[in-house]
Amino acid sequence: MPPAKPDPVDDVESDENEESQDENELNANNVTKYQAAAEIANKALQKVIAGAVDGALVLDLCALGDKTIEEGAKGVYNKGKVKVAKGIAFPTCVSPNNAICHLSPLPSEPEAKLALKTGDVVRIELGAHVDGYIAQVAHTLVVGASKEKPITGRQADVLQAAYTAIEAAIRLLRPGKTNTSITDTVQKIAESYNCKPVEGMLSHQLKRNVLDGSKQIILNPSDAQKKEVETQTFEEGEVYSLDILISSGEGKAKPLETRTTIYKRNAEASYQLKMKTSRAVFTEITQKCGTMAFGLRQLDDEKKAKMGIIECSNHGLVTPYGVLYEKEDAHIAHFMFTVLLMPNGPLKITSFPWDQETVKSELEVKDEEVKELLKQSVKINSKKANKKKKKKAGAEAKDEAADEE
């Protein structure tokens, strides 16, 4: 069983001997750090959700999420002699209507004036880390929706499709299952609601200080992408950001003219930058953000950041997370959990609110196999598992006795 969740307001002492252990092993120390990061991320999400009302500025909500993560991180892992890096793993993004993801504007950009209004479908995404152990979460809401004013029509269809898909996916995220089984199941569920998964979107394996591990789960792959993404089997001890995006439109994501503000440093890349501003910006990124995703708002000088990041990006020192859009009349739903593959089943450490009474779709899942999957428990039945182990051990002992005779 995993250890109890730490209270993020209490200091947690770091262990100088942890470096001798496998940094990606789900031992007690590492799981505790994942859970501490998750607690911070969950609280930040709740704050942004509470602020997502009619008239709220996207810029203010992004700043609120980032501030909440940074303040939450200050309260954990302060007692040990070894300084522990902690804070933002993925900057807060608030993407309304046909903006699919990664909208986190700068004060100087036109999107800084973008305000939410009643009826907008809004996606919130963010992540925190403690000592490089990452917890990400994403949620979708409709501004002004309630039990008295439930979500209906195509908005309800796409929300129900995405929620059902991630609930099915977590039941397939267990040792021995494959990434393609999740891809295929999400596709079936989306079709039941006359929707499409957003093409090419990826869920990633997480490792310490790594947001995009080698194992991936792709949604709605194109023919070319089917050849690129290998079939991979999940294993106990792995960690994933289970990321589901469903659209009522064509499921095609494309960039427009919105400035990219979120990047991630590529630790293995090397290039001698020519511009003094670029070198200063890259040094600041390395010192402040490590290999985590970062927003240009996190850097000291916005003007220099906008200038210096261009050369860094052009030469592969950083990876951009561009703002992506669907067609204007499309509705998109985005949900994400961070999941640890523990011995007793998937452990969901981040979460988002879901109230079925506020979502009223007239459609439902049609596939019988998917219906049966959704009835299953996420956790492994430990009693049944122990009985199987005892039965197997008994059979092996019996065979050994027979061989001796």
Side-chain angles (χ1 to χ4, degrees):
M1 292 292 289
K5 288 186 179 181
D7 186 342
V9 300
D10 293 333
D11 287 345
V12 183
E13 188 165 357
S14 59
D15 186 352
E16 291 179 279
N17 297 322
E18 285 180 35
E19 294 302 321
S20 63
Q21 303 172 350
D22 180 354
E23 63 180 16
N24 289 305
E25 180 186 345
L26 290 185
N27 55 46
N29 285 321
N30 296 347
V31 170
T32 300
K33 288 176 181 177
Y34 272 119
Q35 292 178 315
E39 190 78 9
I40 294 165
N42 288 337
K43 286 192 174 181
L45 177 65
Q46 291 166 9
K47 279 276 188 79
V48 179
I49 290 172
V53 297
D54 188 279
L57 294 178
V58 167
L59 172 62
D60 291 344
L61 293 174
C62 292
L64 173 64
D66 289 351
K67 182 182 178 182
T68 305
I69 292 172
E70 289 169 343
E71 288 179 348
K74 289 177 182 177
V76 297
Y77 285 86
N78 295 319
K79 287 185 177 179
K81 295 178 182 178
V82 178
K83 186 177 180 180
V84 173
K86 52 198 173 171
I88 295 170
F90 202 96
T92 307
C93 302
V94 177
S95 307
N97 299 324
N98 69 317
I100 297 173
C101 55
H102 304 155
L103 183 59
S104 190
L106 296 168
S108 61
E109 296 298 313
E111 291 77 19
K113 298 177 182 177
L114 183 61
L116 304 184
K117 58 184 185 299
T118 299
D120 283 353
V121 182
V122 181
R123 284 155 299 286
I124 303 164
E125 176 184 3
L126 54 85
H129 80 97
V130 171
D131 197 23
Y133 295 94
I134 300 161
Q136 292 178 273
V137 66
H139 177 59
T140 303
L141 58 86
V142 176
V143 178
S146 64
K147 291 179 182 179
E148 294 72 33
K149 296 180 180 179
I151 304 159
T152 60
R154 294 300 283 153
Q155 288 184 346
D157 294 341
V158 76
L159 278 162
Q160 190 68 59
Y163 177 75
T164 305
I166 201 167
E167 284 296 318
I170 197 172
R171 287 162 171 78
L172 292 169
L173 191 64
R174 58 177 71 241
K177 299 290 186 180
T178 64
N179 54 349
T180 54
S181 67
I182 292 181
T183 301
D184 295 342
T185 299
V186 172
Q187 191 74 33
K188 289 177 184 177
I189 292 170
E191 289 171 359
S192 293
Y193 291 90
N194 296 327
C195 295
K196 291 183 179 180
V198 178
E199 184 179 289
M201 290 294 175
L202 295 170
S203 295
H204 287 284
Q205 180 185 9
L206 299 174
K207 293 188 175 183
R208 188 185 181 210
N209 293 314
V210 178
L211 281 158
D212 48 0
S214 57
K215 289 189 177 182
Q216 303 171 336
I217 305 160
I218 192 168
L219 300 183
N220 191 15
S222 64
D223 291 337
Q225 289 165 339
K226 286 177 183 177
K227 297 175 184 177
E228 293 171 3
V229 178
E230 299 176 1
T231 299
Q232 294 166 319
T233 302
F234 306 126
E235 298 177 30
E236 185 179 307
E238 293 177 339
V239 182
Y240 288 87
S241 58
L242 188 55
D243 204 4
I244 302 295
L245 294 101
I246 306 287
S247 173
S248 66
E250 298 172 352
K252 303 283 187 180
K254 61 181 181 181
L256 295 179
E257 295 180 0
T258 306
R259 178 185 290 275
T260 297
T261 63
I262 297 178
Y263 297 82
K264 177 183 70 68
R265 182 172 71 86
N266 296 325
E268 285 125 29
S270 177
Y271 177 77
Q272 187 62 45
L273 293 163
K274 303 295 188 291
M275 292 174 56
K276 182 179 178 181
T277 300
S278 302
R279 293 196 297 271
V281 167
F282 188 67
T283 298
E284 186 181 0
I285 290 166
T286 303
Q287 293 175 347
K288 278 188 174 180
C289 311
T291 56
M292 298 299 164
F294 63 91
L296 296 184
R297 283 197 320 275
Q298 291 171 247
L299 306 184
D300 291 338
D301 188 313
E302 180 184 317
K303 186 177 179 180
K304 287 182 179 179
K306 287 161 69 173
M307 185 185 303
I309 200 68
I310 296 171
E311 188 182 7
C312 296
S313 182
N314 287 344
H315 295 282
L317 295 181
V318 296
T319 297
Y321 290 86
V323 184
L324 300 175
Y325 292 85
E326 243 277 28
K327 62 178 186 176
E328 286 193 10
D329 60 347
H331 303 297
I332 306 103
H334 183 192
F335 293 116
M336 176 165 49
F337 296 140
T338 299
V339 184
L340 314 184
L341 299 194
M342 304 297 287
N344 61 336
L347 175 64
K348 179 177 67 176
I349 59 170
T350 57
S351 61
F352 50 80
W354 177 261
D355 185 350
Q356 191 61 66
E357 291 185 38
T358 65
V359 182
K360 302 294 183 182
S361 173
E362 295 180 2
L363 303 176
E364 60 182 11
V365 172
K366 299 171 184 176
D367 188 277
E368 291 301 324
E369 287 186 13
V370 176
K371 286 182 180 180
E372 288 302 312
L373 174 65
L374 290 166
K375 291 177 184 177
Q376 296 176 16
S377 171
V378 173
K379 293 292 181 186
I380 294 170
N381 189 319
S382 57
K383 289 183 180 179
K384 286 184 179 180
N386 288 334
K387 281 183 181 178
K388 285 182 181 179
K389 284 182 182 178
K390 287 179 181 178
K391 190 175 180 181
K392 185 179 178 182
E396 288 173 353
K398 195 173 182 181
D399 289 342
E400 286 176 9
D403 289 341
E404 288 175 4
E405 289 177 3

